[in-house]
Amino acid sequence: MKKAGIQSSSSQLPISPSVGFGPQPDLVSSRGGAPARQQLPFSVIGSLNGVHMFGQNLEVQLSSAKTEDTTVVWKSFHDSITLIVLSSEEGTSELRLERLLQMVFGAMVLLVGLEELTNIRNVERLKKELRASYRLIDSFLGDSELIGDLTQCVDCVVPPEGSLLQEALSGFAEAAGTAFVSLVVSGRVVAATESWWRLGMPEAVLLPWLVGSLPPQAARDYPVYLPHGSPTVPHRLLTLTLLPGLELCLLCGPRPPLSQLDAQLLERWWQPLLDPLRACLPLGSRALPAGFPLHTDILGLLLLHLELKRCLFTVEPSGDKEPSSEQRRRLFRSFYTLVTATHFAPEPGQPEEKAEEVVHRAQVPRACYLVLGAEEPGTGWRLVALQLGPRRLLLLLSAQSPTHGLRGLATHTLHALTPLL
């Protein structure tokens, strides 16, 4: 997605994609984008908000609309804030935009709190407070290497010596006096305590994403709200940089103070594990340990555990081949929305289906594939999806991979990855 964001009420809203606020006219706004980007007049933004309010007055819920080249999605939260997103990106689905709006509102609650958003006393003050969420929201609108915003699963990596890191993490958590601790590399969770893994959505996705979006800093004491678990009472997110790009994250109340987490405590638990920690650094984009056997036709993979709400995502395999990493990420996002919206059963935690949709899904497929371009030997990249139990695997394969062998290759790969997630 092209980058956009939120700006003052006097600015204009970029069209691809953008996020606006309502229903209060003063909140219909955007951060603005690149100067060369096409802008929508403020009157159009007001009209988009107005038609949504008009429908509400008639007890009609307007959720989405399409023009020849633009998709618009509206979503209201707590009868107070309405978010509007527009995208002119080819192939953008309503599912993708709806989940984007959920993440945007989650980011607002995470850094401002639900009370400020549902009981708005001063619009100008709220706009100033929302500036704290700009960087996080911008990261959703850009070309992120993460995918948890779409899958609603936590982006994870598999460290080569995970048991050692997990043991140290549990010991450090006890010494620090908090049950919520994780190791995060480039916005992905390397290891976490049981209590951290039990965090609800969307904070389980938002917290590591927030850490990955912030500029490097040796230590932080960051106030956060938990959109699901504690939307009105703030907690403290403490971060400590162990190595550049690798951070220790603690979620706690008033204690411990950041000063208590001194160098001596860190050295006691983490100095002996310096080499395993260094081995985590390349995992930011690779997700899998070095040397993990993958078929040479695989150009990228996305493995989801739908019950644990965790995922492994990488486009690193055969990085010297076409398509580019950016193209691969776009292909995965488009293919994920396609199979999730049209082929596979609803994911756990999603709204229940209507009766006619249940009948339509009487025969739920376990696998599907897509060939990009002409289906001839040696042409067109292949995308295949396979679901077995709680796991769903998506693969991007080179043009040399024969279509008749896609399901077998996906099944073999899923079995190999199952012990990791």
Side-chain angles (χ1 to χ4, degrees), residues 357-417:
E357 292 174 335
V358 174
V359 173
H360 178 69
R361 292 183 183 269
Q363 299 294 329
V364 178
R366 293 175 55 188
C368 60
Y369 75 89
L370 178 67
V371 176
L372 303 176
E375 190 171 351
E376 299 174 1
T379 64
W381 297 305
R382 281 84 164 105
L383 286 155
V384 59
L386 174 70
Q387 183 154 333
L388 291 176
R391 293 177 178 84
R392 182 180 300 170
L393 176 67
L394 280 67
L395 294 177
L396 173 63
L397 302 166
S398 67
Q400 286 69 40
S401 191
T403 54
H404 62 80
L406 295 181
R407 182 165 182 171
L409 175 55
T411 302
H412 175 79
T413 305
L414 181 55
H415 287 322
L417 291 169

Side-chain angles (χ1 to χ4, degrees), residues 162-391:
S163 58
L164 288 176
L165 296 176
Q166 191 66 51
E167 184 179 349
L169 198 68
S170 299
F172 177 82
E174 185 176 352
T178 177
F180 299 87
V181 184
S182 67
L183 269 177
V184 175
V185 59
S186 303
R188 298 169 174 85
V189 176
V190 178
T193 59
E194 290 185 12
S195 295
W196 184 284
W197 284 128
R198 286 199 295 268
L199 289 171
M201 292 295 160
E203 52 259 35
V205 171
L206 286 169
L207 288 172
W209 196 303
L210 171 65
V211 173
S213 70
L214 295 173
Q217 205 164 340
R220 303 186 191 90
D221 192 336
Y222 214 82
V224 294
Y225 297 82
L226 304 182
H228 175 76
S230 182
T232 57
V233 178
H235 287 63
R236 294 165 61 227
L237 177 65
L238 308 182
T239 68
L240 300 161
T241 299
L242 300 180
L243 293 170
L246 181 65
E247 298 185 69
L248 191 62
C249 303
L250 300 84
L251 190 63
C252 55
R255 301 188 63 83
L258 188 58
S259 58
Q260 182 178 317
L261 307 176
D262 54 22
Q264 186 176 359
L265 181 63
L266 293 176
E267 289 177 5
R268 173 189 169 191
W269 290 102
W270 302 108
Q271 186 66 34
L273 298 178
L274 199 53
D275 288 338
L277 290 173
R278 287 197 181 106
C280 295
L281 297 178
L283 297 177
S285 56
R286 196 169 63 208
L288 301 174
F292 186 85
L294 287 175
H295 194 281
T296 55
D297 285 347
I298 296 177
L299 304 177
L301 67 86
L302 169 61
L303 174 63
L304 304 156
H305 196 299
L306 301 176
E307 292 179 356
L308 296 178
K309 305 298 283 184
R310 305 177 199 173
C311 68
L312 298 173
F313 178 51
T314 179
V315 293
E316 286 290 299
S318 303
D320 56 334
K321 299 180 181 178
E322 291 291 332
S324 67
S325 296
E326 183 180 348
Q327 288 177 302
R328 295 182 190 191
R329 287 192 290 269
R330 283 203 298 265
L331 289 172
F332 268 109
R333 284 180 171 269
S334 296
F335 189 52
Y336 171 84
T337 55
L338 172 67
V339 300
T340 300
T342 60
H343 293 309
F344 293 138
E347 298 168 0
Q350 297 301 313
E352 294 184 5
E353 294 180 289
K354 299 175 183 177
E356 59 267 25
E357 292 174 335
V358 174
V359 173
H360 178 69
R361 292 183 183 269
Q363 299 294 329
V364 178
R366 293 175 55 188
C368 60
Y369 75 89
L370 178 67
V371 176
L372 303 176
E375 190 171 351
E376 299 174 1
T379 64
W381 297 305
R382 281 84 164 105
L383 286 155
V384 59
L386 174 70
Q387 183 154 333
L388 291 176
R391 293 177 178 84

